[in-house]
Amino acid sequence: MCGIVGYIGRQEAYPILIKGLHRLEYRGYDSAGVALVNPDNVLNVYKTRGKVEDLERFCDTKDVSGTVGIAHTRWATHGEPNDINAHPHFSTNGKIAIVHNGTIENYNVLKQALIEHDCEFRSETDTEVVVKLIEYIQSTNDCSLVDAVRGALKQVVGAYAIAVVDCEDPDMIIAARKSSPLVVGIGDHETFIGSDASPIIDYTNQVVYLGDDEIAIIRRDAPLQVINNDNIPAKIDVQTLELSVSQLEKGGYPHFMLKEIFEQPNTIYDCIRGRIVNNDTEIKLSGVIDHPDRFINASRVVIVACGTSWHAGLIGGRLIENYTRIPARVEYASEFRYANPVITSSDVVIAISQSGETADTLAAIKLAKERGAFVYGVCNVVGSSIARETDSGTYIHVGPEIGVASTKAFTGQVTVLTMLALAIGQLRGTVNKSQLLEAIANIKKLPELIRETLKLNDRIEKLSRTFTYAHNFLYLGRGYNYPSALEGALKLKEISYIHAEGYPAAEMKHGPIALIDKELPTVVIAPNDDLHEKVISNIQQVKARGGSVIAIVTKGDTEIPKIADYVLEIPPVAESVSPVVVSVPLQLLAYHIAIMKGCDVDMPRNLAKSVTVE
Ligand code: G6P
């Protein structure tokens, strides 16, 4: 979703801004733009539909000089993706430029009021309203830009992260946020802005995460100043990033997605590290240890998340019920927030989010907190809004995930949720010692099991050729692997644009069976577990109707290879952690089919990595 970069300092801003935009491409976008104040204090704004490369080509012959500027990648919400709707937007006098991430809900009301004051609009965006409002306030009140921005933000309803430059004050950038992320990077005589730390890390690891309703006044060669909308100075908390530039690069892989799939033995190791203690006899999650009563006395767990994180939540919900005996419900955050849910102070709400910025999940958290629940975050991005908004939590620590289709974050989330369920079970005494030791041993084996499973890559690549023709796919699984089926189908949809549905295998006969014919491949997740025999019957039902079956089975299975068309063998794995291993062939299958179809797997059409609007 939209990305913001800003720079003020002693270097030329343009190359820094362009590099920053490339770093933010993974968020998903359809147009890009840049605004620079040149040495003659003229504001130059360049923007175009398409990729950052298109913007660079467009700027080839333009004046891109200047040591202060802001830039943007836009993911269209208000108005189609075109040159005019692209950011930055600028004031009527051409002196003030703005970039914005978020949604201004009352933009139409503000726009009508401004039109009544003879203000004209070029674009269909909500963002242009903000810059025109700033200009209007500045000219009618004869006030400073800071006061005009403050005044405008007081009138705005919605979510925003903005950055503003004014060529009449070329030594300053103003940045502000409410519900959309914004990070300020503090360098040596230079300051950076980013929607996340990725455009900043090349230059400094010292950052300040702006809080809601905070406004950063970034002056050249002056300390950062942060105020709130009422002009009261806010505390500045400078943090050190634990991020390295190499984590943001492909490291020899053709795509981030493939790199991230192959990173999983290490990311799961990182995720577990330090959390299994006392000679592998205990799970230690400080987020749980610090609040024992909230878990011991919990009457219910409600998990909220979106997309892939919701699938991880479905597995987490089952694990929590299994190990803690606390009833668990799993909700789409977007549904939960508007459902007027019954939430009480004895509830534990677990919010799962890779980015930690998903607008619906953030809103669900706020609602749960208002109703007194204890809110626990399972996030990847350190310092993200959700990580800061929750009462406690556990990071999954899988490193930056750049591919839009989530892979290593999913397996990290499931691993953390497994440890969380066990940690709560330990506290409540609902898991006995032998269960705990066995579960811990199973978790510890995961990195090696994933490493082994990745050896399927070549075979899956070959197999994928067979399926590029398909227009539909069915994914079936049972128990813990029903959510794996949903996730497998989502991966394929997201990056290959093939329609795919995930179903509990036994539910197939209540509808999807009608779809089965030789054109519809069915992926059946069938490792050796308690429901193995039942899944074999489901495969028979597909075969009896002429469907082709790709089965994911445990090495040594002698039954399924006799009936399935294609078999992918995974090493033996305990049922409760099997989704982590099973997800590897599912990810590889989606990846290779998408590649064979010539799709852009890292930046699939219309999708965004970090969904910061509703
Ligand atoms: C987007 C991404 C998905 C992700 C979902 C939730 O749709 O493309 O990969 O699962 O948002 O994001 P979150 O950051 O909250 O996990």
Side-chain angles (χ1 to χ4, degrees):
M1 210 138 275
C2 301
I4 290 176
V5 198
Y7 175 79
I8 185 164
R10 296 178 178 184
Q11 305 185 56
E12 283 298 296
Y14 178 73
I16 294 172
L17 296 175
I18 291 292
K19 187 168 182 185
L21 290 183
H22 279 298
R23 287 261 193 259
L24 291 174
E25 283 187 297
Y26 79 96
R27 295 166 71 90
Y29 72 108
D30 42 55
S31 48
V34 58
L36 297 147
V37 179
N38 80 5
D40 299 325
N41 293 350
V42 172
L43 178 71
N44 288 314
V45 177
Y46 309 117
K47 48 191 191 163
T48 178
R49 187 196 165 136
K51 298 281 181 194
V52 177
E53 285 90 356
D54 298 312
L55 175 67
E56 288 178 85
R57 263 191 298 279
F58 182 72
C59 290
D60 258 357
T61 52
K62 306 281 192 303
D63 170 15
V64 291
S65 61
T67 53
V68 55
I70 52 178
H72 191 261
T73 47
R74 173 175 188 252
W75 190 85
T77 55
H78 295 72
E80 62 174 282
N82 61 25
D83 297 354
I84 293 175
N85 289 334
H87 297 211
H89 290 280
F90 45 95
S91 54
T92 305
N93 64 12
K95 296 193 167 169
I96 306 170
I98 190 170
V99 289
H100 165 224
N101 171 16
T103 311
I104 308 300
E105 287 165 14
N106 61 340
Y107 85 101
N108 228 343
V109 177
L110 296 172
K111 189 170 181 173
Q112 292 317 316
L114 287 163
I115 288 171
E116 279 171 27
H117 288 95
D118 300 327
C119 184
E120 286 178 13
F121 286 85
R122 301 181 188 93
S123 75
E124 302 156 274
T125 64
D126 51 343
T127 306
E128 192 184 355
V129 174
V130 184
V131 71
K132 296 282 166 72
L133 182 59
I134 293 171
E135 180 181 33
Y136 176 75
I137 294 174
Q138 200 183 27
S139 61
T140 49
N141 294 3
D142 192 22
C143 63
S144 70
L145 183 67
V146 177
D147 286 343
V149 169
R150 248 176 3 93
L153 294 181
K154 281 191 166 180
Q155 295 188 43
V156 154
V157 176
Y160 57 79
I162 57 163
V164 180
V165 288
D166 178 355
C167 65
E168 299 223 310
D169 193 349
D171 294 325
M172 179 173 69
I173 300 180
I174 299 175
R177 74 156 262 177
K178 180 179 194 151
S179 299
S180 294
L182 207 58
V183 187
V184 180
I186 301 180
D188 187 14
H189 297 287
E190 55 187 0
T191 308
F192 306 82
I193 303 170
S195 286
D196 59 41
S198 62
I200 296 174
I201 190 65
D202 289 272
Y203 313 98
T204 177
N205 63 1
Q206 298 298 293
V207 295
V208 174
Y209 294 96
L210 275 196
D212 267 352
D213 294 313
E214 287 184 350
I215 301 172
I217 303 162
I218 304 161
R219 291 187 194 279
R220 199 188 295 277
D221 290 329
L224 173 68
Q225 204 189 336
V226 180
I227 55 171
N228 67 17
N229 284 356
D230 295 318
N231 209 9
I232 300 182
K235 191 170 161 277
I236 298 177
D237 180 14
V238 182
Q239 300 189 26
T240 302
L241 287 174
E242 284 176 25
L243 181 70
S244 71
V245 173
S246 66
Q247 289 177 300
L248 302 173
E249 288 168 355
K250 288 187 195 146
Y253 286 90
H255 299 97
F256 281 110
M257 183 178 176
L258 194 63
K259 175 188 175 214
E260 288 158 6
I261 292 172
F262 271 84
E263 277 175 348
Q264 291 176 108
N266 295 334
T267 56
I268 296 303
Y269 178 80
D270 289 342
C271 182
I272 299 167
R273 194 169 46 185
R275 290 161 169 175
I276 294 179
V277 295
N278 277 345
N279 290 327
D280 300 346
T281 60
E282 204 186 312
I283 306 264
K284 186 177 157 207
L285 296 181
S286 49
V288 175
I289 293 169
D290 294 346
H291 305 272
D293 295 346
R294 299 306 297 242
F295 292 98
I296 290 169
N297 302 322
S299 56
R300 200 171 50 142
V301 167
V302 180
I303 297 179
V304 290
C306 303
T308 287
S309 299
W310 183 75
H311 294 154
L314 290 177
I315 299 167
R318 280 172 186 247
L319 289 163
I320 285 169
E321 289 206 333
N322 185 22
Y323 289 128
T324 73
R325 309 315 299 155
I326 307 172
R329 244 175 74 188
V330 187
E331 298 280 339
Y332 283 116
S334 53
E335 288 295 314
F336 175 88
R337 65 183 289 194
Y338 292 116
N340 190 18
V342 178
I343 293 291
T344 69
S345 56
S346 63
D347 288 333
V348 172
V349 171
I350 300 175
I352 310 170
S353 175
Q354 186 286 128
S355 62
E357 301 295 347
T358 302
D360 284 321
T361 310
L362 205 46
I365 291 169
K366 287 182 181 160
L367 175 70
K369 282 176 81 176
E370 272 162 32
R371 300 195 176 179
F374 176 72
V375 185
Y376 197 88
V378 176
C379 293
N380 187 33
V381 178
V382 176
S384 56
S385 303
I386 292 175
R388 288 181 299 138
E389 194 68 36
T390 41
D391 297 306
S392 177
T394 304
Y395 284 116
I396 61 173
H397 285 319
V398 298
E401 190 178 66
I402 310 288
V404 163
S406 187
T407 53
K408 63 176 180 173
F410 175 72
T411 49
Q413 288 165 340
V414 175
T415 305
V416 160
L417 290 165
T418 311
M419 292 190 287
L420 178 60
L422 289 164
I424 304 171
Q426 274 171 189
L427 261 184
R428 290 170 58 94
T430 46
V431 267
N432 64 38
K433 200 75 203 168
S434 70
Q435 253 182 322
L436 181 67
L437 295 183
E438 192 186 329
I440 287 176
N442 290 334
I443 295 171
K444 288 207 74 174
K445 281 186 211 149
L446 283 172
E448 199 39 51
L449 294 180
I450 295 176
R451 194 165 287 122
E452 186 62 30
T453 308
L454 283 166
K455 292 182 187 158
L456 286 170
N457 186 43
D458 291 346
R459 170 150 166 65
I460 294 176
E461 184 178 5
K462 285 196 195 95
L463 179 67
S464 300
R465 273 181 240 283
T466 324
F467 295 105
T468 46
Y469 73 87
H471 294 294
N472 296 287
F473 256 83
L474 186 61
Y475 284 71
L476 302 176
R478 298 190 72 147
Y480 288 112
N481 284 313
Y482 155 51
S484 307
L486 295 178
E487 176 58 12
L490 178 65
K491 284 289 85 77
L492 188 72
K493 267 188 274 213
E494 284 179 310
I495 59 170
S496 73
Y497 317 138
I498 295 175
H499 169 252
E501 275 194 68
Y503 245 80
E507 275 294 302
M508 178 187 62
K509 54 189 173 296
H510 298 292
I513 200 162
L515 301 173
I516 289 172
D517 61 17
K518 62 179 180 4
E519 304 287 312
L520 180 90
T522 301
V523 178
V524 184
I525 303 163
N528 280 344
D529 57 24
D530 287 353
L531 295 170
H532 189 244
E533 287 305 316
K534 310 230 178 254
V535 177
I536 292 179
S537 324
N538 299 136
I539 296 176
Q540 304 276 23
Q541 288 157 8
V542 174
K543 288 307 302 169
R545 284 155 186 86
S548 64
V549 170
I550 307 157
I552 298 174
V553 303
T554 306
K555 213 168 263 172
D557 187 322
T558 51
E559 292 294 307
I560 294 181
K562 289 186 204 149
I563 47 173
D565 300 82
Y566 309 93
V567 166
L568 297 171
E569 290 187 326
I570 59 167
V573 54
E575 193 171 338
S576 59
V577 290
S578 63
V580 174
V581 177
V582 155
S583 64
V584 174
L586 296 174
Q587 295 162 355
L588 289 169
L589 187 67
Y591 172 80
H592 286 298
I593 292 178
I595 294 293
M596 306 270 172
K597 290 192 70 185
C599 301
D600 183 349
V601 293
D602 281 339
M603 282 183 272
R605 68 183 182 209
N606 304 337
L607 292 180
K609 182 75 186 157
S610 180
V611 181
T612 50
V613 298
E614 268 194 65

